[in-house]
Amino acid sequence: MPEPDRATRIAILGVGQMGLVCANALAGRDPGNGDARKAVDVRVWGHDPDEVGSVAQTRVSDSLAGFELEETVRVCLDAADALAEVDVIVAAVPAQFLRDVFENLRSLIPARAGIVSVAKGIEVGTLFRPTQAIAEALADDPDAAARPLGALSGPTIAGELARCMPATMIAASDPATDDGTFAAMIQTLFTTSWQRIYTNDDLLGVELAGATKNVIAIAAGILDGLNAGFNAKSALLARGLAEIARLGGAMGADRDTFFGVAGAGDLATTCFSPEGRNRSCGEALGKGMTLDDYLGETKMVVEGVATTRAVVALAAKYRVEMPIAQAVHDVLFDGLDPLLAITSLMTRAPKAERVG
């Protein structure tokens, strides 16, 4: 935690969309609060020197139209500079790469620094959530047991955040490593006149909701590609949320989490926004594009693709029925025609509705 009367030092790992919008939210002027700035020292770093160098020179990003990085944010080519004496680390790295990043940077991370993840995925192989992967990567650190870990999640389309459009998010932490102080600190740091942050002690549920909604968003995009209509998509959201809540309940999460901002809120945004990369991937598949061709063309990491494998594996582990997630898996990895996938869901045996 920061010392009294000193700016909070924050390192953001990752110069993708979320890393950059987080930097501006933390360091920028707040137009609804008299253009005030927080007492923060924000640095950003990324693993690709060319990408980091471009951001340092231009202060803009090819992936965020109209975005300009705040002048007070320091772009660091050296991870040691970014992490020097920081109080908080924001992990804005895709879930499948988090472990490698933190294993490589372990010796540079200050003992007192708390870590908050904004990644939305499940690590394939281990089936770990982002904070679990980070914790294991730092397990040899003698300060690991006392280090607070958290997640910041919710309906967060980066392009809208970059334009300071109204948004809400959840700052979650685990009571095992945080008495609520770290979550409250994240809440304070990220709160602006246009960005409202709630706290939550169900870290498992918040991270699981953020990851699984990407799988349902791919299905929603498939419906868009097939021109299936809004009735079908709304039904998909409702039944997808039921699947997510069932899995979460089986894993020990708080069921209410899935019907709040981090659950239903994030799910709706991702499934309907034209900027949602998982929905866009599904739409391309629904229109007949192959997954390999789509991933070859896009510059973005589509978290839901890898996470679909992990979610189906979690469903099997916890013996939870998740037909939508399974159908997405079959389209992505087994060559199932998207239209046949929808047909298979619609022709399942009739039953009473069950939610959660």
Side-chain angles (χ1 to χ4, degrees):
M1 299 299 172
E3 299 167 5
D5 302 320
R6 174 176 69 71
T8 303
R9 297 172 182 145
I10 306 167
I12 297 175
L13 306 182
V15 293
Q17 289 184 334
M18 278 305 297
L20 294 177
V21 297
C22 282
N24 271 15
L26 290 164
R29 297 183 185 278
D30 188 342
N33 189 26
D35 276 350
R37 291 186 188 272
K38 294 185 176 71
V40 293
D41 169 7
V42 179
R43 311 94 176 262
V44 298
W45 170 88
H47 76 282
D48 184 339
D50 291 336
E51 187 178 16
V52 177
S54 176
V55 172
Q57 289 181 347
T58 66
R59 316 294 290 185
V60 301
S61 170
D62 291 340
S63 63
L64 281 172
F67 173 86
E68 185 172 350
L69 187 64
E70 284 288 335
E71 61 185 4
T72 58
V73 176
R74 183 152 54 96
V75 183
C76 300
L77 294 174
D78 189 337
D81 290 341
L83 290 166
E85 300 183 323
V86 294
D87 306 298
V88 177
I89 298 169
V90 179
V93 178
Q96 307 307 321
F97 305 107
L98 272 171
R99 179 184 298 273
D100 287 344
V101 167
F102 277 91
E103 285 180 346
N104 290 333
L105 300 180
R106 181 167 46 200
S107 64
L108 301 176
I109 296 175
R112 63 187 179 182
I115 301 170
V116 56
S117 166
V118 295
K120 296 179 180 179
I122 302 293
E123 188 178 51
V124 175
T126 64
L127 306 185
F128 278 4
R129 294 174 284 111
T131 57
Q132 289 178 303
I134 293 170
E136 188 166 274
L138 300 178
D140 293 339
D141 183 342
D143 300 296
R147 187 188 305 284
L149 293 172
L152 186 66
S153 191
T156 50
I157 297 296
E160 294 186 10
L161 297 181
R163 298 191 293 275
C164 299
M165 298 174 71
T168 58
M169 286 187 259
I170 300 295
S173 62
D174 186 343
T177 58
D178 178 39
D179 61 1
T181 301
F182 185 57
M185 179 184 182
I186 298 305
Q187 179 183 48
T188 299
L189 286 172
F190 279 91
T191 292
T192 68
S193 60
W194 52 272
Q195 192 164 268
R196 181 172 175 81
I197 313 297
Y198 295 92
T199 59
N200 190 314
D201 63 3
D202 181 21
L203 181 60
L204 163 60
V206 168
E207 287 192 288
L208 188 64
T212 50
K213 60 89 187 178
N214 284 335
V215 180
I216 307 303
I218 292 175
I222 290 173
L223 290 179
D224 288 340
L226 294 171
N227 292 314
F230 291 114
N231 290 339
K233 186 185 275 193
S234 294
L236 176 81
L237 263 67
R239 297 313 304 158
L241 184 58
E243 290 190 15
I244 293 169
R246 280 202 299 271
L247 179 60
M251 293 177 65
D254 184 342
R255 184 174 178 274
D256 287 347
T257 299
F258 302 101
F259 297 91
V261 170
D266 199 5
L267 177 65
T269 292
T270 308
C271 290
F272 280 100
S273 171
E275 297 182 49
R277 61 185 69 174
N278 294 283
R279 189 215 62 82
S280 297
C281 175
E283 182 177 15
L285 299 178
K287 290 179 176 178
M289 197 171 191
T290 68
L291 178 62
D292 287 344
D293 285 346
Y294 182 81
L295 295 180
E297 287 187 6
T298 184
K299 296 179 180 179
M300 308 292 185
V301 174
V302 184
E303 287 268 37
V305 173
T307 295
T308 296
R309 289 191 188 274
V311 167
V312 168
L314 281 173
K317 178 179 179 179
Y318 288 93
R319 299 182 180 180
V320 174
E321 188 179 30
M322 300 186 72
I324 297 172
Q326 184 64 58
V328 172
H329 179 280
D330 293 346
V331 169
L332 293 177
F333 306 115
D334 295 334
L336 179 64
D337 183 280
L339 183 58
L340 292 179
I342 301 303
T343 301
S344 70
L345 291 172
M346 295 300 293
T347 55
R348 297 175 71 238
K351 60 177 67 176
E353 183 182 31
R354 182 167 68 91
V355 179

